[in-house]
């Protein structure tokens, strides 16, 4: 019996399209590229399609996506389908190749938008999970077994929504459960009405080393080869670690995958195959609400908890709480408006929203299309990266504000009231100034 090794990459970019034009505007900070989607594609997504390695004189071409457990944010795949179709197709092909090799696909689904689900209403959780699953089925041609949570942010209601939707497992950090399996095997979380969901707990120390320690194929290989027989060692990091965050990370990863395929100590696999081979036998408690990137739970996305990018300057994130309050208030108002004006939509407004999907077109009814686009804008305005970074004037928070502004413009006679209320919630003059700058479309 061999040990089991899994390396997971979470690939994601936020929706960057200008809601007035449908195009991604130029982002000067991404120079020499037009925008960050293009830059990260050049540095990570394209190289990982096929990486040439020389491992102690043995040369090989490694199709990384075929051997890497992965999830791709639907907003990124949506952009790729239009702007980088060859990479999009390579990801889909890689999942099919893993099904053929292992019996189970490498890809996990995730919510359509990268929102912090514990901070969303149950109805919004349900829609995001539904849209994520529907998008996954459309692209990959199969039902998802596992589901990645943005920032691994979790609470019991989120897990319950996923379990109801037919999801079997997710992946969490060690501090998010009361007790992780000593052998890395999946564990159960008991939910309501006799339901449960399985959780894989990734190796926190090794994942941190891969994410922040710099590329080192020897160290990574040794760590994974040390997995005891019958145990699982899983790594989970941002997919952009390999090439974008760390130059040379793509070659290091490909070298590790090449070695593990030939290892006589461990089997390289994916989470779904490991789940089928090792059904959870132990039930543990969930620690909630928690995430992988904020030691304060989910405070990074609603308060000045001290988490920041630039550690050499004092924190200045007092804008986070007002921005969260403004977006939450707007979501509540938009939802009420949608429910009122959409009461005659086929199946009712909420079933209609779920069925319309995140990107699906609505033919023949301009008012229904306007209402659903207004709802999409509100969900886009919850994208986690709007709060993750240090400054409300950064491109991520500006994009969140831009989607909120566009939702307001779609509210018809209510637009003036909603804009005034949103501004009041933002409070600080600088916050309001940044918002005002998003009210008009900008050139691409």
């Amino acid at each position: 019996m061999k040990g089991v090794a899994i390396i997971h990459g979470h690939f994601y970019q936020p929706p960057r399209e200008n809601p007035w034009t449908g195009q991604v505007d130029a982002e000067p900070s991404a120079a020499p590229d037009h925008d960050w989607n293009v830059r990260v594609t050049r540095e990570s997504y394209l190289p990982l399609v096929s990486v040439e390695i020389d491992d102690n004189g043995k040369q090989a071409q490694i199709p990384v996506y075929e051997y890497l457990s992965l999830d791709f944010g639907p907003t990124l795949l949506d952009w790729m389908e239009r702007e980088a179709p060859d990479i999009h197709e390579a990801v889909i092909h890689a999942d099919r190749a893993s099904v053929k090799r292992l019996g189970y696909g490498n890809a996990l689904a995730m919510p359509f938008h990268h929102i912090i689900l514990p901070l969303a209403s149950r109805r919004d959780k349900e829609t995001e999970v539904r849209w994520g699953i529907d998008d996954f089925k459309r692209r990959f041609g199969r039902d998802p077994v596992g589901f990645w949570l943005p920032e691994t942010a979790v609470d019991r209601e989120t897990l319950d929504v996923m379990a109801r939707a037919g999801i079997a497992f997710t992946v969490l950090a060690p501090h998010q459960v009361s007790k992780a399996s000593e052998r890395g095997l999946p564990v159960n979380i008991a939910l309501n009405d006799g339901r449960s969901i399985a959780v894989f707990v990734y190796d926190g120390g090794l994942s941190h080393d891969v994410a922040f320690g710099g590329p080192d194929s020897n160290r990574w290989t040794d760590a994974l080869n040390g997995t005891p027989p019958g145990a699982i060692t899983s790594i989970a990091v941002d997919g952009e670690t390999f090439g974008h965050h760390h130059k040379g990370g793509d070659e290091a990863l490909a070298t590790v995958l090449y070695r593990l395929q030939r290892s006589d100590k461990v089997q390289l696999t994916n989470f779904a195959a490991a789940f089928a081979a090792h059904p959870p036998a132990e039930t543990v408690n969930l620690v909630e609400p928690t995430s992988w990137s904020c030691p304060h739970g989910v405070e990074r996305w609603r308060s000045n908890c001290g988490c920041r990018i630039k550690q050499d300057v004092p924190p200045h994130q007092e804008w986070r709480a007002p921005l969260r309050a403004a977006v939450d208030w707007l979501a509540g108002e938009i939802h009420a408006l949608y429910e009122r004006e959409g009461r005659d939509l086929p199946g009712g407004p909420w079933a209609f929203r779920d069925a319309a999907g995140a990107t699906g077109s609505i033919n023949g009814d301009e008012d229904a299309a306007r209402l659903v686009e207004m709802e999409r804008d509100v969900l886009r305005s919850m994208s986690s990266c709007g709060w993750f970074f240090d400054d409300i004037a950064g491109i991520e928070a500006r994009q969140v504000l831009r989607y909120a502004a566009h939702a307001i413009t779609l509210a018809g006679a209510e637009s003036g009231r909603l804009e005034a209320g949103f501004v009041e919630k933002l409070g600080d003059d600088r916050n309001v100034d940044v918002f005002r700058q998003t009210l008009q479309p900008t050139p691409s």
Side-chain angles (χ1 to χ4, degrees):
M1 182 181 293
K2 293 183 178 181
V4 173
I6 303 170
I7 305 175
H8 183 85
H10 164 55
F11 295 87
Y12 165 69
Q13 294 296 315
R16 299 185 184 277
E17 291 79 6
N18 184 321
W20 281 273
T21 67
Q23 302 299 313
V24 178
D25 295 336
E27 297 174 335
S29 60
D33 298 291
H34 177 269
D35 58 73
W36 281 103
N37 281 6
V38 175
R39 178 164 172 176
V40 180
T41 295
R42 174 173 59 82
E43 295 177 343
S44 276
Y45 307 145
L46 177 58
L48 291 175
V49 170
S50 183
V51 181
E52 184 177 352
I53 66 166
D54 185 336
D55 187 28
N56 298 317
K58 296 179 180 178
Q59 296 180 339
Q61 203 76 28
I62 309 300
V64 167
Y65 296 129
E66 293 189 18
Y67 298 96
L68 183 71
S69 173
L70 52 83
D71 72 276
F72 269 79
T75 55
L76 173 57
L77 288 177
D78 188 49
W79 177 86
M80 276 187 176
E81 191 172 19
R82 300 190 315 269
E83 305 295 336
D86 289 349
I87 304 174
H88 179 272
E89 181 55 33
V91 172
I92 305 304
H93 172 80
D95 182 71
R96 292 172 182 159
S98 64
V99 172
K100 186 175 181 179
R101 187 179 73 255
L102 299 170
Y104 300 88
N106 286 344
L108 308 185
M110 65 163 283
F112 193 89
H113 298 104
H114 202 273
I115 73 175
I116 303 302
L117 288 180
L119 299 181
S121 68
R122 181 166 187 120
R123 181 174 287 141
D124 287 346
K125 288 183 176 76
E126 290 171 349
T127 294
E128 283 290 340
V129 170
R130 166 73 180 273
W131 284 2
I133 291 173
D134 287 351
D135 186 82
F136 184 95
K137 291 165 70 174
R138 177 179 73 84
R139 294 183 195 278
F140 292 96
R142 63 178 179 86
D143 291 328
V145 181
F147 204 81
W148 181 268
L149 292 168
E151 303 291 343
T152 72
V154 69
D155 62 356
R156 282 178 57 82
E157 186 175 72
T158 296
L159 294 182
D160 191 63
V161 168
M162 291 161 54
R164 281 178 174 269
I167 298 298
F169 69 84
T170 190
V171 183
L172 297 179
H175 64 271
Q176 295 185 273
V177 296
S178 60
K179 179 187 176 185
S181 166
E182 293 181 0
R183 296 193 297 154
L185 304 178
V187 293
N188 257 335
I189 302 287
L191 302 171
N192 300 332
D193 301 325
R195 286 184 298 278
S196 65
I197 195 167
V199 169
F200 283 92
V201 176
Y202 64 77
D203 186 302
L206 184 54
S207 298
H208 186 276
D209 180 41
V210 171
F212 301 103
D216 190 326
S217 57
N218 292 329
R219 189 171 71 246
W220 301 352
T221 303
D222 290 345
L224 291 168
N225 263 332
T227 304
I232 299 173
T233 300
S234 59
I235 297 170
V237 296
D238 288 334
E240 296 78 15
T241 299
F242 308 114
H244 173 58
H245 295 164
H246 297 300
K247 187 176 181 179
D250 51 340
E251 291 95 338
L253 172 62
T255 300
V256 174
L257 296 175
Y258 174 80
R259 292 172 178 173
L260 293 181
Q261 290 173 59
R262 291 153 180 79
S263 174
D264 58 0
K265 298 178 180 178
V266 298
Q267 175 193 7
L268 179 66
T269 190
N270 61 40
F271 283 117
F275 177 74
H278 303 276
E282 183 179 4
T283 298
V284 301
N285 294 322
L286 182 70
V287 180
E288 59 173 333
T290 50
S291 65
W292 75 346
S293 51
C294 177
H296 315 100
V298 295
E299 296 306 308
R300 186 167 193 155
W301 299 276
R302 65 180 175 186
S303 72
N304 181 10
C305 67
C307 291
R308 59 194 189 277
I309 301 298
K310 296 181 180 178
Q311 299 295 321
D312 57 341
V313 297
H316 56 286
Q317 289 110 20
E318 293 300 334
W319 55 270
R320 282 180 174 162
L323 178 60
R324 172 59 62 182
V327 167
D328 285 351
W329 176 83
L330 181 64
E333 295 295 314
I334 290 291
H335 291 343
L337 175 64
Y338 172 75
E339 188 168 40
R340 185 168 64 251
E341 294 192 10
R343 59 184 177 274
D344 295 327
L345 290 170
W350 303 113
F352 188 84
R353 181 178 81 163
D354 283 351
T359 58
S361 61
I362 299 171
N363 297 322
D365 191 333
E366 291 184 4
D367 198 49
R370 173 186 64 85
L371 290 173
V372 171
E373 185 63 19
M374 183 175 66
E375 284 289 311
R376 290 174 180 145
D377 276 335
V378 164
L379 292 172
R380 293 178 185 122
S381 75
M382 299 178 188
S383 298
S384 66
C385 42
W387 286 263
F388 190 85
F389 296 93
D390 295 354
D391 190 355
I392 194 173
I395 58 175
E396 298 84 8
R398 283 178 179 272
Q399 189 70 357
V400 160
L401 288 166
R402 188 152 61 167
Y403 285 124
H406 194 249
I408 289 171
T409 68
L410 295 175
E414 293 289 307
S415 294
R417 179 183 69 83
L418 293 179
E419 181 179 335
F422 193 80
V423 165
E424 180 183 2
K425 296 292 183 183
L426 284 176
D428 183 88
D429 287 346
R430 184 167 184 269
N431 299 349
V432 174
D433 287 344
V434 174
F435 171 66
R436 295 288 190 199
Q437 295 168 20
T438 70
L439 290 173
Q440 298 297 327
T442 56
S444 293

